[in-house]
Amino acid sequence: MLGSVLNTHQQWLCRELASLGYVVTRQVAVADSGEMIEQAVREALARSDLVITTGGLGPTSDDITRDRIARLLGCPLREDPSIVRHIEDLFGQRHRKMPVTTRVQALVPEGATVLPNAHGTAPGLVLEIAAGRWRVGASLLIMLPGPPRELRPMFTNQVVPLLQARFPQLGDFVCRTFKTTGLGESLVEERIAVSLRGLTTQGLELGYCARVGEVELRCGARGPSARHLVTQAEEIIRTLLPDHLFSVGEDTLEATVVRLLTEQQRSLAVAESCTGGLIAHRLTNVPGASAVFLGGLVTYSNEAKKQFLGVQDGTLRSHGAVSAETVREMAEGARSQMKADYSIAVTGIAGPSGGTPEKPVGTVFIGLASQRPTRVIQSTNRYDRETFKFVTSQQALDMLWRVLLKERT
Amino acid sequence: MLGSVLNTHQQWLCRELASLGYVVTRQVAVADSGEMIEQAVREALARSDLVITTGGLGPTSDDITRDRIARLLGCPLREDPSIVRHIEDLFGQRHRKMPVTTRVQALVPEGATVLPNAHGTAPGLVLEIAAGRWRVGASLLIMLPGPPRELRPMFTNQVVPLLQARFPQLGDFVCRTFKTTGLGESLVEERIAVSLRGLTTQGLELGYCARVGEVELRCGARGPSARHLVTQAEEIIRTLLPDHLFSVGEDTLEATVVRLLTEQQRSLAVAESCTGGLIAHRLTNVPGASAVFLGGLVTYSNEAKKQFLGVQDGTLRSHGAVSAETVREMAEGARSQMKADYSIAVTGIAGPSGGTPEKPVGTVFIGLASQRPTRVIQSTNRYDRETFKFVTSQQALDMLWRVLLKERT
């Protein structure tokens, strides 16, 4: 609640649950205060078939979730010797002495099922809450440890089978995501809304999310005809947004680009100035990128632009490092140096400083070299530094995506 | 609630509010359902002096927050002609026709104050909720648009002055963040807890957050002695964790590294294989990095390692691309090619494929070259691909940080 931590649990758990057909109705975050934790859990139990808590099971003094929930439910805590042994073993493997405080993680509320933690010390805990206690029906309460690399495998390997056995009837939601680029949110809706009306009256739900450089559209439906409705929607969307739809599902633009390059057996090199390695980073996040991505040159200095990309000293002098001429030489240099089929290059002024009246902060040139004539586009991306880098990397990937799409058809 | 969107609003707003001395007690996310939005807002108004909603003010059919809140509060909606003109102007500037649906954004609940949107179409809205309606005291309800580049300037320029005028007495919370590397969460607490006990009994609150490669410690306090308590805590923490504390405040490890390089007037080059540009990306996120960061070579292929870094063909053949010998030549090559004072290099197997029995997925070598003898460390980072990249980049930055720290003393 102090803003130091980004809540990635919400996104990850919601996505995993949605892929199983379960829809999360509410997500709540509270401070590490015993009273607020108790209140939030009490309210959630009064509302839901399933409540999942994350975090607060660890060894430090602010880890009070287990304790407070046991108190709320009136379950005494007992030390589980097998958990103590597991924690001792973990510290032994790392040749470290087990701090005394760590032992608190072996406390288990009476009646709870223990989910062993294969990647850390604190186990998960599952409690059945009887019908009539907090609401008419029964609820299941699952406490998971906070660190993502402990939580995620525990959820996938232990919680999912448990949910599927316990709540088979709730998992009837079908959802599909469509990612588009090059159109604003209103225009995406304007293109498709009328044609989808027949389906929305039958229960299809539409959700739009405008992001930097892309608009995401989600189609969801419940019940026996859900899959059919969503599939019909997909046909309509594919027909109406052919030049803008780059992904059906969760694929990113970089994953789409890597897939097209792989299909076409083409290789790629990147030369980055103002994006500082982000394009290479995004591409190499995609498993299998090494088959098509040869390498990237982050040429921040003029020296590096000359040395690694063969940018001419005269070009830098007469046009400057941020210019159409320089980005053209960067793209062509990267392509020829790495013997790549395609190359993309970017140069610009990320800010906050470095702008001039003719080339203000946000000015960007993007070049794309291939066997065809090199193309250069210019843009002005006025954002904070990190958004600037992202938008610019998105434009560069978008430019390449459109070229690859044409090559395919 | 489907997991497609990461909630960055929570982090940003909580951090901004905390820096003003306000503590957020609860954050709630609900689906785009009218009933759930009404319920969540009603509950929040019954609990809080201030309620901020984000999103749902846009032009698409799922943007129902304004409408539902007006209904909940019984305020009729009226079209504000000045907002219509603003939206028409925006579309005119972009040479686009204004879609009809966009006009819904000009609707204002009776009695609301309008916060003009300098970066988009939907304005923010402020409503005073009278004492005795939902709770004993009065509440302030502020609706902000969802896109971060609209929300953030609106909050900073328009909401902050409003809060400071309306809730001066609530802004008495002082909080400081301490970031450490190289120790687990329990060990950080073990080193400092006893020495801080005198302060915690006086009201100092401690929070720990274990992350991949770092542990964050937060000290907070309320009231007139808050600043004094936090400052005393800082002295103790600095004394007890000298080799582990890399930042007091929100600075990242990369920002600390860039600051030390800048202070020492030293330059840096990077050669990355398995981190694929992430180290360069992290470094170039820091404003002013261009003064010390010369460039990065993302040498994914063996060819690129030889061509740009001068790695010997024999080294790659006898030891392989993922080896201490190769990373040493990568680091030394990057340093000499770019004439840098320092260079860091990484090579490893990110996975999911590419592992062998001797070098399983997760194997990493990190090299650091400087005027002193080159150092190489080995690690096994068994994580998913993106976490692997982050952990490895963290280890490389940590290695450089420690060297820079020694140079300073």
Side-chain angles (χ1 to χ4, degrees):
Chain A
M1 305 312 288
L2 298 174
S4 335
V5 185
L6 190 59
N7 186 355
T8 57
H9 288 345
Q10 177 194 1
Q11 181 178 32
W12 191 85
L13 285 170
C14 286
R15 185 189 291 163
E16 295 300 304
L17 286 161
S19 77
L20 299 168
Y22 299 110
V23 180
V24 176
T25 52
R26 188 183 285 224
Q27 171 268 328
V28 174
V30 293
D32 285 331
S33 133
E35 219 171 290
M36 288 181 200
I37 292 171
E38 277 193 40
Q39 189 193 17
V41 172
R42 199 169 54 230
E43 288 174 7
L45 286 174
R47 214 164 28 212
S48 324
D49 297 293
L50 170 65
V51 176
I52 298 177
T53 68
T54 65
L57 307 180
T60 53
S61 56
D62 56 339
D63 287 313
I64 54 177
T65 303
R66 175 185 23 240
D67 196 51
R68 279 300 179 137
I69 288 180
R71 186 169 137 167
L72 171 72
L73 301 173
C75 304
L77 287 162
R78 301 234 163 80
E79 190 176 87
D80 179 329
S82 70
I83 304 174
V84 176
R85 270 199 305 279
H86 168 70
I87 301 173
E88 280 171 351
D89 284 355
L90 272 183
F91 275 89
Q93 278 168 34
R94 295 171 195 172
H95 308 289
R96 289 188 174 177
K97 214 183 104 246
M98 174 176 144
V100 175
T101 50
T102 300
R103 204 171 172 115
V104 71
Q105 297 172 101
L107 294 177
V108 174
E110 199 173 71
T113 306
V114 170
L115 305 176
N117 187 339
H119 302 87
T121 48
L125 298 165
V126 181
L127 277 164
E128 289 280 352
I129 315 294
R133 176 133 192 221
W134 300 97
R135 62 198 279 265
V136 178
S139 306
L140 192 67
L141 173 63
I142 303 181
M143 292 173 243
L144 298 178
R149 67 191 199 89
E150 302 176 20
L151 178 149
R152 294 180 183 191
M154 189 181 286
F155 181 85
T156 305
N157 302 326
Q158 301 180 69
V159 176
V160 168
L162 205 145
L163 296 185
Q164 287 178 320
R166 179 81 149 67
F167 303 111
Q169 77 291 357
L170 293 179
D172 69 344
F173 183 75
V174 175
C175 183
R176 208 161 291 164
T177 301
F178 302 87
K179 295 189 179 181
T180 68
T181 171
L183 283 181
E185 191 182 16
S186 311
L187 288 169
V188 168
E189 182 173 44
E190 209 176 51
R191 288 230 191 157
I192 58 166
V194 174
S195 308
L196 290 175
R197 203 156 291 160
L199 301 174
T200 50
T201 56
Q202 292 172 62
L204 185 81
E205 292 167 34
L206 297 181
Y208 298 86
C209 179
R211 304 205 181 172
V212 184
E214 58 189 71
V215 172
E216 213 174 276
L217 166 68
R218 287 181 299 277
C219 296
R222 281 204 167 281
S225 61
R227 200 160 297 278
H228 181 64
L229 278 173
V230 170
T231 304
Q232 283 185 290
E234 177 171 341
E235 275 172 38
I236 293 169
I237 293 163
R238 281 189 186 274
T239 310
L240 296 177
L241 296 166
D243 303 340
H244 300 282
L245 183 71
F246 67 81
S247 166
V248 177
E250 295 303 329
D251 269 2
T252 54
L253 186 55
E254 52 269 31
T256 304
V257 163
V258 167
R259 182 173 50 71
L260 288 173
L261 286 168
T262 308
E263 282 171 15
Q264 296 174 24
Q265 296 185 285
R266 293 285 181 270
S267 61
L268 174 66
V270 167
E272 303 182 62
S273 185
C274 58
T275 46
L278 176 57
I279 300 176
H281 170 51
R282 289 180 64 179
L283 289 164
T284 60
N285 279 346
V286 183
S290 58
V292 295
F293 179 65
L294 302 179
L297 298 166
V298 184
T299 53
Y300 235 48
S301 66
N302 278 354
E303 271 318 303
K305 289 183 184 74
K306 290 190 272 183
Q307 187 179 350
F308 297 111
L309 298 168
V311 174
Q312 299 294 310
D313 197 52
T315 309
L316 290 166
R317 274 194 228 183
S318 36
H319 303 284
V322 178
S323 64
E325 291 76 7
T326 295
V327 90
R328 175 183 298 274
E329 291 185 16
M330 286 173 70
E332 291 173 356
R335 179 168 180 262
S336 69
Q337 287 291 323
M338 291 193 249
K339 299 179 192 65
D341 297 308
Y342 291 98
S343 76
I344 43 182
V346 290
T347 183
I349 304 159
S353 61
T356 65
E358 312 89 71
K359 290 175 187 167
V361 165
T363 302
V364 164
F365 293 89
I366 305 174
L368 190 152
S370 68
Q371 56 176 12
R372 297 171 196 269
T374 300
R375 296 177 190 198
V376 173
I377 58 171
Q378 181 179 357
S379 179
T380 309
N381 302 333
R382 283 195 201 91
Y383 302 100
D384 62 280
R385 190 174 174 97
E386 290 191 37
T387 310
F388 166 89
K389 287 176 70 178
F390 187 83
V391 171
T392 306
S393 73
Q394 186 79 358
Q395 288 168 338
L397 291 170
D398 180 78
M399 193 172 171
L400 178 59
W401 172 64
R402 286 172 195 281
V403 168
L404 293 171
L405 215 58
K406 270 202 196 129
E407 289 296 325
R408 192 171 60 169
T409 53
Chain B
M1 304 313 287
L2 298 173
S4 336
V5 185
L6 190 60
N7 186 355
T8 56
H9 288 346
Q10 178 194 359
Q11 181 179 31
W12 191 84
L13 284 171
C14 285
R15 186 189 291 162
E16 294 300 302
L17 286 161
S19 77
L20 299 169
Y22 299 111
V23 181
V24 176
T25 53
R26 187 182 286 223
Q27 171 269 327
V28 173
V30 293
D32 284 332
S33 133
E35 220 171 290
M36 289 181 201
I37 292 171
E38 277 192 41
Q39 189 193 17
V41 172
R42 200 170 51 232
E43 288 175 7
L45 286 175
R47 215 165 27 214
S48 323
D49 297 293
L50 170 66
V51 176
I52 298 177
T53 70
T54 65
L57 306 180
T60 54
S61 56
D62 56 339
D63 287 312
I64 54 179
T65 302
R66 173 184 26 238
D67 195 53
R68 280 299 180 140
I69 288 180
R71 186 168 137 167
L72 171 72
L73 300 174
C75 304
L77 288 162
R78 301 231 165 81
E79 192 176 88
D80 180 329
S82 71
I83 305 173
V84 176
R85 270 198 306 280
H86 168 70
I87 300 173
E88 280 170 350
D89 284 353
L90 271 182
F91 276 88
Q93 277 168 34
R94 295 170 196 172
H95 308 289
R96 289 187 173 177
K97 214 184 103 248
M98 176 176 143
V100 176
T101 51
T102 300
R103 203 170 172 116
V104 72
Q105 298 172 98
L107 294 178
V108 174
E110 200 173 72
T113 306
V114 170
L115 305 175
N117 187 339
H119 301 87
T121 48
L125 298 166
V126 181
L127 277 163
E128 288 280 352
I129 315 294
R133 174 132 192 221
W134 300 96
R135 61 198 279 265
V136 177
S139 307
L140 192 66
L141 173 62
I142 303 181
M143 294 173 242
L144 298 178
R149 69 191 197 89
E150 301 176 20
L151 179 148
R152 294 180 184 191
M154 191 182 286
F155 181 84
T156 306
N157 301 325
Q158 302 179 69
V159 177
V160 168
L162 204 144
L163 296 184
Q164 287 179 321
R166 179 79 149 69
F167 304 111
Q169 78 291 359
L170 293 178
D172 68 344
F173 184 74
V174 175
C175 182
R176 208 161 291 166
T177 301
F178 302 88
K179 295 188 179 181
T180 68
T181 172
L183 283 180
E185 191 182 16
S186 310
L187 289 168
V188 169
E189 183 172 44
E190 208 175 52
R191 290 231 189 155
I192 58 166
V194 173
S195 307
L196 290 175
R197 202 156 291 160
L199 300 175
T200 51
T201 56
Q202 290 172 63
L204 184 80
E205 292 167 34
L206 297 181
Y208 298 86
C209 179
R211 304 206 179 171
V212 183
E214 57 188 72
V215 171
E216 213 174 276
L217 166 69
R218 286 183 298 276
C219 296
R222 279 204 168 283
S225 61
R227 200 160 298 278
H228 181 64
L229 278 173
V230 170
T231 303
Q232 283 185 291
E234 177 172 341
E235 275 172 38
I236 293 170
I237 292 163
R238 282 188 185 274
T239 311
L240 296 177
L241 296 166
D243 303 339
H244 300 282
L245 182 70
F246 67 81
S247 165
V248 177
E250 295 302 328
D251 269 2
T252 55
L253 185 54
E254 53 270 31
T256 303
V257 163
V258 167
R259 184 175 47 74
L260 287 173
L261 286 168
T262 308
E263 283 171 15
Q264 296 172 26
Q265 296 185 286
R266 293 286 180 268
S267 61
L268 173 67
V270 167
E272 304 182 62
S273 185
C274 59
T275 45
L278 176 57
I279 300 176
H281 171 50
R282 289 180 63 180
L283 288 164
T284 59
N285 279 346
V286 183
S290 58
V292 295
F293 178 64
L294 301 180
L297 299 166
V298 184
T299 54
Y300 236 48
S301 66
N302 278 352
E303 271 318 303
K305 289 184 185 72
K306 290 190 273 184
Q307 187 180 350
F308 297 112
L309 298 168
V311 174
Q312 298 295 309
D313 196 53
T315 308
L316 289 166
R317 275 196 226 180
S318 36
H319 303 284
V322 178
S323 65
E325 291 76 6
T326 296
V327 91
R328 174 183 299 272
E329 292 185 15
M330 286 172 70
E332 292 174 355
R335 180 169 179 262
S336 69
Q337 288 291 323
M338 289 193 250
K339 299 180 192 65
D341 296 308
Y342 292 97
S343 76
I344 44 182
V346 291
T347 182
I349 304 159
S353 62
T356 65
E358 313 89 71
K359 290 175 187 167
V361 166
T363 303
V364 164
F365 294 88
I366 304 174
L368 190 153
S370 68
Q371 56 176 13
R372 298 172 195 268
T374 301
R375 298 178 189 197
V376 173
I377 59 171
Q378 181 179 357
S379 178
T380 310
N381 302 333
R382 284 195 200 89
Y383 302 100
D384 63 279
R385 190 175 174 98
E386 290 190 38
T387 311
F388 166 89
K389 287 175 70 178
F390 187 82
V391 171
T392 306
S393 72
Q394 187 79 357
Q395 288 167 340
L397 291 170
D398 181 78
M399 193 172 171
L400 177 60
W401 173 63
R402 285 172 196 282
V403 167
L404 293 172
L405 215 56
K406 269 201 196 131
E407 290 297 323
R408 193 172 61 169
T409 52

